[in-house]
């Protein structure tokens, strides 16, 4: 025998796995979940339909977060010089305080409010008599203490229920203060079915109140916006290092390591590069319609994907010296990557992984696993929409009661600031040469046939999946971490990176290979046995079973 690897005891068939996962549900729940659990049969351009962006069934322990989390934590959290004032009970403010690993480098002005927790700390009496006066006082206090350029007010659930008029307060305070932009977000936790609604609410307000407000010209020959990159674990720092080396000027990242001024200048870029499609694709569209900036999809997770994305950016600008410079950077960076792959591959090849993260990493991280010779046997998003699974050709999606709740901004070409960066003919020629605009194929076509694609996975199903399919590694978040590890399977957090990272770009890829190699080859997991697995003491059954 050439191989010493132990054969898995469990042989599985995707149809059986799916049946097992929903076997315990009442019939109505099972029917709904069956539409969100898909056995991948993606063939060329035809992808099977998956149900996504629908309400979680009450009682099910979902992996999702709330709309407020998507607005305050995800989109606005990483911007350092906007005071984020949470209007609500203190718990909402406290739990959104540095729990996402946004990183920032305060600039010369040193202005950075990310490490503060601002809240109106609503009490019972505010819920009964209204919290508006308290909010006005809090805005004034934050202004007096810090004199920030901007203050964002975030509504938590009770604010929506009692009807405090946060937008009028913001408008009045902006006028009163004079040199501070104040705007508010109606991002009550219950507003949508997940974080995704909060992304949209946040982005709409940034687009409405900030983008396009700074016309002081930004220098740079190849100017882009990087949309949907949040600098978790320093990913954005690594991407910016590569951009700098290539001669790319990043006008504005939405919103990793960003500032108010960057958003305000975003209309000066000549291309938008979209990383996390789910959280921001509509901003890319709005930037194009209002200012004439085309957009392409990129991915800086995975060394090959990074090289490919850089080449796409270079191709767009059609400048030979720039194209050569990008090639030179790739040629300089790749030898270290290749050496790291050669080191880990004998130990990682053929191993299996599962990835369940928010709305884009479950797709992007497949690149890194592929580079390590590993197969992703099941993956899915917490809150993505059908286009993130099946590709943008399914757009526009049917509007339902929940999506109708989330505002869609109608934008038109700006009479002063709109100018098309390329003519129609130029764009068509680039498309012909292989550069696709406004394009995203989604996760499904990138996964092998017979794999399982699962939307809004929950605690029960995660445990079933792991028990039945025994992956070599499971990737998700902190809520899943310990229940999976107790099953004897290593678990990697792909939201917070378990305090590791960066994993983006070339250097990030190398970090990731080493870390996954250590995790999937550690023997410690096979020794895991819970006391009740050795000595079961109690067993019970329901009478109806
Ligand atoms: Fe986009 Fe994100 Fe993600 Fe997301 Fe998120 Fe995140 Fe995520 Mo956690 S914006 S959808 S809401 S890539 S916080 S940086 S890791 S769930 S997959």
């Amino acid at each position: 025998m050439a191989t010493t690897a132990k054969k898995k005891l469990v042989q599985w068939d995707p149809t059986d796995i799916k049946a097992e996962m929903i076997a315990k549900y009442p019939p109505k729940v099972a029917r709904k979940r069956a539409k969100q659990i898909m056995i991948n049969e993606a063939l060329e351009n035809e992808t099977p339909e998956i149900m996504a962006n629908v309400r979680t069934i009450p009682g099910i322990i979902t992996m999702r977060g709330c709309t407020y989390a998507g607005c305050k934590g995800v989109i606005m959290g990483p911007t350092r010089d906007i005071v984020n004032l949470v209007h609500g009970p203190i718990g909402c403010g406290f739990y959104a305080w540095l729990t996402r690993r946004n990183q920032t480098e305060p600039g010369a002005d040193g202005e950075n409010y990310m490490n503060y927790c601002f809240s109106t700390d609503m009490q019972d009496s505010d819920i009964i008599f209204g919290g508006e006066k308290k909010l006005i006082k809090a805005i004034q206090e934050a202004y007096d203490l810090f004199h920030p350029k901007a203050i964002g007010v975030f509504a938590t659930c009770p604010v929506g229920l009692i009807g405090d008029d946060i937008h009028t307060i913001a408008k009045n305070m902006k006028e009163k203060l004079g040199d501070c932009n104040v705007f508010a977000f109606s991002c009550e936790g219950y507003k949508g079915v997940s974080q995704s609604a909060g992304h949209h609410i946040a982005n709409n307000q940034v687009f409405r109140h900030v983008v396009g407000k700074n016309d002081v010209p930004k220098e740079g020959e190849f100017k882009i916006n990087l949309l949907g990159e949040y600098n978790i674990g320093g990913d954005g720092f690594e991407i910016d290092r590569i951009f700098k080396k290539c001669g790319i000027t990043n006008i504005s990242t939405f919103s990793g390591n960003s500032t108010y001024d960057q958003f305000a200048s975003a209309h000066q870029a000549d291309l938008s590069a979209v990383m996390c499609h789910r959280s921001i694709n509509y901003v890319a569209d709005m930037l194009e319609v209002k200012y004439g900036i085309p957009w392409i999809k990129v991915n800086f997770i995975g060394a090959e994907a990074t090289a490919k994305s850089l080449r796409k950016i270079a191709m767009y600008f059609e400048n030979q010296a720039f194209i050569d410079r990008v090639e030179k950077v790739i040629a300089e960076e790749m030898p270290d990557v290749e050496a790291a792959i050669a080191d880990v591959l004998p130990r990682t090849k053929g191993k299996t992984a599962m990835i369940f993260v928010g709305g884009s990493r479950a797709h992007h991280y497949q690149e890194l696993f592929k580079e390590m010779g590993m197969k992703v046997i099941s993956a899915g998003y917490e809150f993505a929409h059908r286009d993130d699974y099946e590709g943008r050709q399914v757009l526009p999606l049917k509007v339902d009661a929940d999506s109708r709740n989330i505002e869609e901004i109608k934008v038109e070409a700006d009479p002063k600031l709109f100018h098309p960066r390329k003519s129609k003919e130029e764009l068509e020629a680039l498309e012909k040469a292989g550069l696709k605009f406004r394009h995203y194929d989604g996760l499904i076509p990138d996964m092998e046939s017979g794999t399982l694609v699962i939307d809004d996975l929950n605690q029960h199903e995660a445990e079933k999946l792991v028990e039945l399919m025994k992956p070599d590694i499971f990737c998700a978040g902190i809520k899943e971490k310990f229940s999976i590890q107790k099953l004897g399977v290593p678990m990697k957090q792909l939201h917070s990176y378990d305090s590791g990272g960066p994993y983006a770009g070339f250097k990030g890829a190398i970090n990731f290979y080493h870390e996954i190699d250590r995790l999937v080859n550690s023997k410690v997991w096979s020794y895991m046995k819970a006391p009740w697995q050795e000595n079961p003491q109690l067993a019970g059954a329901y009478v109806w079973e």
Side-chain angles (χ1 to χ4, degrees):
M1 282 269 288
T3 169
T4 52
K6 253 197 265 157
K7 203 138 174 43
K8 291 258 165 66
L9 291 173
V10 189
Q11 290 300 329
W12 48 265
D13 174 277
T15 329
D16 297 340
I17 304 276
K18 180 169 174 175
E20 268 290 310
M21 282 172 72
I22 57 177
K24 286 261 180 189
Y25 291 140
K28 209 173 148 194
V29 175
R31 271 200 303 279
K32 187 172 180 192
R33 286 302 300 156
K35 293 184 199 151
Q36 291 175 273
I37 302 174
M38 204 200 73
I39 298 162
N40 191 16
E41 299 155 20
L43 302 163
E44 305 273 312
N45 300 323
E46 258 181 73
T47 45
E49 187 176 325
I50 189 164
M51 188 197 250
N53 192 33
V54 292
R55 292 180 196 186
T56 300
I57 300 156
I60 276 185
I61 304 177
T62 174
M63 293 159 69
R64 284 173 168 173
C66 69
T67 299
Y68 158 77
C71 178
K72 196 273 179 196
V74 175
I75 303 296
M76 299 312 289
T79 305
R80 67 172 163 272
D81 58 359
I82 299 177
V83 164
N84 284 359
L85 175 56
V86 177
H87 188 31
I90 195 62
C92 296
F94 184 80
Y95 282 105
W97 182 28
L98 295 182
T99 40
R100 186 164 177 258
R101 290 188 62 229
N102 310 310
Q103 296 192 12
T104 195
E105 252 174 7
D109 58 14
E111 221 178 330
N112 176 19
Y113 308 115
M114 270 167 59
N115 40 6
Y116 289 90
C117 175
F118 299 91
S119 172
T120 51
D121 184 20
M122 281 176 110
Q123 304 293 319
D124 294 4
S125 58
D126 303 314
I127 307 285
I128 296 162
F129 300 109
E132 295 188 347
K133 284 195 192 117
K134 204 167 191 187
L135 177 60
I136 293 167
K137 258 175 89 181
I139 295 171
Q140 186 67 52
E141 192 183 337
Y143 177 81
D144 293 341
L145 281 171
F146 296 102
H147 290 279
K149 297 178 187 75
I151 298 174
V153 175
F154 299 86
T156 56
C157 292
V159 171
L161 298 174
I162 65 174
D164 277 0
D165 187 357
I166 55 170
H167 298 285
T168 301
I169 291 172
K171 194 168 150 266
N172 293 345
M173 288 307 285
K174 180 182 171 180
E175 274 164 25
K176 184 183 170 201
L177 301 175
D179 62 350
C180 177
N181 194 353
V182 188
F183 38 87
F185 303 87
S186 288
C187 58
E188 292 85 353
Y190 59 75
K191 199 71 176 250
V193 302
S194 71
Q195 292 96 309
S196 166
H199 303 153
H200 210 139
I201 292 163
N203 284 318
N204 280 351
Q205 292 299 70
V206 169
F207 197 81
R208 185 180 270 138
H209 293 282
V210 190
V211 171
K213 300 278 190 277
N214 186 353
D215 251 345
V216 180
K218 296 279 173 195
E219 296 304 316
E221 214 176 335
F222 309 109
K223 290 184 280 197
I224 69 162
N225 291 322
L226 180 60
L227 306 189
E229 206 301 311
Y230 300 92
N231 201 22
I232 308 297
D235 277 353
F237 294 148
E238 163 66 359
I239 297 170
D240 277 336
R241 175 189 76 84
I242 299 167
F243 281 175
K244 228 181 187 169
K245 221 170 148 182
C246 292
I248 298 166
T249 305
N250 184 3
I251 297 288
S252 175
T253 300
F254 284 66
S255 56
N257 189 30
S258 60
T259 61
Y260 179 85
D261 177 61
Q262 287 181 24
F263 293 147
S265 311
H267 62 295
Q268 298 191 34
D270 293 317
L271 174 71
S272 293
V274 175
M275 176 100 167
C276 169
H277 178 265
R278 175 64 272 132
S279 60
I280 205 147
N281 67 86
Y282 34 85
V283 173
D285 281 337
M286 292 194 284
L287 284 166
E288 178 156 26
V289 174
K290 190 162 181 186
Y291 303 110
I293 309 169
W295 72 265
I296 55 169
K297 174 78 178 70
V298 293
N299 172 24
F300 292 101
I301 302 294
E304 277 302 329
T306 300
K308 201 170 142 196
S309 299
L310 291 173
R311 288 188 175 115
K312 275 167 127 180
I313 294 170
M315 186 175 177
Y316 170 81
F317 284 99
E318 299 177 279
N319 174 310
Q320 197 52 49
F322 178 40
I323 292 170
D324 293 344
R325 184 164 168 187
V326 165
E327 285 303 332
K328 201 169 148 248
V329 171
I330 296 170
E332 268 171 31
E333 298 280 337
M334 281 310 272
D336 285 351
V337 171
E338 281 152 13
I341 293 178
D343 171 23
V344 302
L345 202 63
R347 292 183 299 276
T348 54
K349 200 172 175 201
K351 301 249 184 216
T352 57
M354 291 180 178
I355 320 178
F356 292 93
V357 212
S360 77
R361 292 185 174 182
H363 183 195
H364 288 162
Y365 274 79
Q366 303 213 6
E367 294 281 343
L368 280 169
F369 282 115
K370 263 182 221 158
E371 289 172 354
M372 307 178 74
M374 290 176 64
K375 181 177 167 179
V376 177
I377 51 178
S378 184
Y381 302 125
E382 286 171 31
F383 51 72
H385 302 195
R386 274 184 59 209
D387 41 323
D388 306 293
Y389 286 106
E390 299 170 52
R392 282 178 67 90
Q393 74 277 1
V394 301
L395 294 175
L397 295 170
K398 218 173 73 217
V399 178
D400 62 14
D402 291 311
S403 37
R404 196 171 292 126
N405 217 4
I406 308 305
E407 184 192 22
E408 287 276 347
I409 304 189
K410 290 259 168 303
V411 292
E412 283 169 7
D414 189 288
K416 269 199 258 137
L417 298 172
F418 178 86
H419 70 98
R421 304 318 203 256
K422 302 243 177 206
S423 67
K424 210 170 142 251
E425 293 70 36
E426 283 171 321
L427 289 174
E428 276 170 12
L430 282 169
E431 284 255 6
K432 254 207 188 124
L435 187 64
K436 292 180 181 167
F437 294 94
R438 273 175 252 114
H439 181 90
Y440 179 44
D441 275 333
L443 164 151
I444 291 174
D446 268 352
M447 289 189 69
E448 285 182 32
S449 154
T451 51
L452 283 150
V453 183
I454 307 172
D455 183 60
D456 188 16
L457 186 80
N458 57 54
Q459 166 105 44
H460 163 69
E461 291 169 8
E463 290 192 9
K464 268 273 163 266
L465 255 189
V466 169
E467 273 168 30
L468 296 167
M469 296 174 90
K470 293 263 183 293
D472 292 300
I473 191 161
F474 189 92
C475 306
I478 187 66
K479 298 194 289 298
E480 295 74 43
K481 186 165 181 80
F482 300 101
S483 63
I484 298 296
Q485 284 182 170
K486 283 176 189 167
L487 297 172
V489 170
M491 199 282 179
K492 176 70 193 166
Q493 291 190 66
L494 281 190
H495 300 263
S496 72
Y497 299 166
D498 289 300
S499 307
Y503 299 136
F506 300 109
K507 293 205 164 134
I510 296 170
N511 278 342
F512 194 77
Y513 306 147
H514 289 315
E515 208 156 317
I516 297 301
D517 172 29
R518 276 197 296 269
L519 276 166
V520 298
N521 288 300
S522 163
K523 289 217 169 37
V524 68
W525 307 104
S526 59
Y527 301 136
M528 292 280 287
K529 263 237 162 358
W532 62 85
Q533 286 171 305
E534 278 165 352
N535 298 303
Q537 293 180 340
L538 257 184
Y542 291 102
V543 281
W544 42 266
E545 267 185 329

